[in-house]
Amino acid sequence: MIDNAVLIKQGAEARIYIAPFLTRKAIVKERFSKSYRHPILDKKLTARRVTQEARCLHKCRRSGLDTPVVYFVDIENNTIYMEYVEGKTVRDILREQSDDESFKSKNDEMANKIGMALANMHVADVIHGDLTTSNLLSRDPTGSLVVIDFGLSYVSILPEDKAVDLYVLERAFMSTHPNSETMFASILETYRKKYKDSGPVINKLEEEAENEV
């Protein structure tokens, strides 16, 4: 049991709490055991996922990506204590906006930030695994783009794995934000410019799009 914790979300893999950590307000991610697995195997697999998530967060920060700061990793209890980020999700920001020119300018700026974030992440060879606009935050008060929820993340140098990240985000835009094709094209443009090895990744993404036709 996490002291003074407030449960804010529960998914298929973990519970998310807000709790104090020393003098800070923190997000605590607790992965839970799977009863259908052998206890020894389950403990090893869960510990590996906790460690992998913390390492991916660290690699991304070293690459220049804004992610929550990891305060403490408790392998024994399958928990990660990390920074609580004040801000609003890109999903909510886009849903609140209208179609006038001032919002178009803001969307262009947001697209540039997202493209930069994806480039920094893939330079570090980190695959997020669940890129949606709900996992992108605009940090208060700076407006820096923060990528969160690395629960499915892993390390890979393969262009097809990186293309899957882009594909998942593109589908998230299409399903959640109508008429966002121009914005996603701007995201890819920035990604191409900032990630010098993006060519094979974009090719894989285009191949996937062609297969759907």
Side-chain angles (χ1 to χ4, degrees):
M1 184 65 182
I2 302 166
D3 292 339
N4 301 315
V6 176
L7 180 67
I8 59 171
K9 182 181 178 182
Q10 178 165 331
E13 300 290 333
R15 300 181 188 92
I16 309 296
Y17 300 89
I18 295 177
F21 180 76
L22 301 178
T23 60
R24 304 180 178 102
K25 182 180 181 181
I27 288 289
V28 184
K29 185 170 187 177
E30 176 189 38
R31 285 186 174 270
F32 41 76
S33 299
K34 300 296 181 67
S35 58
Y36 58 83
R37 291 196 295 230
H38 187 281
I40 295 176
L41 176 63
D42 179 76
K43 187 173 181 62
K44 287 183 178 179
L45 290 176
T46 305
R48 183 183 301 166
R49 287 302 310 167
V50 170
T51 302
Q52 186 163 288
E53 182 171 357
R55 285 176 175 168
C56 285
L57 281 163
H58 180 65
K59 279 178 68 68
C60 285
R61 285 192 69 81
R62 287 185 60 186
S63 182
L65 182 64
D66 191 352
T67 61
V69 177
V70 175
Y71 296 146
F72 178 63
V73 181
D74 183 352
I75 297 296
E76 186 62 30
N77 293 302
N78 303 320
T79 57
I80 302 176
Y81 292 74
M82 65 189 91
E83 175 190 10
Y84 177 87
V85 178
E86 296 281 358
K88 185 178 290 188
T89 67
V90 170
R91 179 177 184 267
D92 288 342
I93 291 171
L94 295 180
R95 283 189 162 185
E96 291 170 2
Q97 293 183 358
S98 63
D99 297 325
D100 64 36
E101 285 303 312
S102 65
F103 286 120
K104 181 183 183 303
S105 175
K106 290 179 181 177
N107 283 352
D108 289 343
E109 181 182 357
M110 182 64 74
N112 185 60
K113 290 179 181 179
I114 295 172
M116 287 278 291
L118 295 178
N120 285 335
M121 186 170 64
H122 286 171
V123 164
D125 293 327
V126 172
I127 313 301
H128 185 277
D130 189 24
L131 274 176
T132 68
T133 50
S134 294
N135 287 335
L136 303 172
L137 298 179
S138 180
R139 183 188 288 274
D140 290 338
T142 64
S144 175
L145 187 82
V146 186
V147 184
I148 64 170
D149 196 357
F150 281 74
L152 298 178
S153 63
Y154 60 98
V155 175
S156 172
I157 63 171
L158 298 177
E160 48 264 45
D161 288 341
K162 296 176 182 181
V164 169
D165 260 352
L166 302 183
Y167 179 81
V168 170
L169 183 60
E170 182 180 25
R171 290 300 169 273
F173 267 94
M174 290 176 62
S175 63
T176 311
H177 309 290
N179 305 314
S180 58
E181 293 85 357
T182 301
M183 184 175 181
F184 191 77
S186 296
I187 291 170
L188 289 185
E189 183 180 355
T190 300
Y191 178 81
R192 284 189 183 97
K193 289 178 180 176
K194 299 300 180 182
Y195 180 32
K196 65 180 180 64
D197 295 325
S198 65
V201 181
I202 299 299
N203 289 341
K204 290 291 182 183
L205 179 65
E206 291 173 348
E207 286 176 16
E208 188 62 39
E210 290 172 1
N211 291 336
E212 287 190 344
V213 176

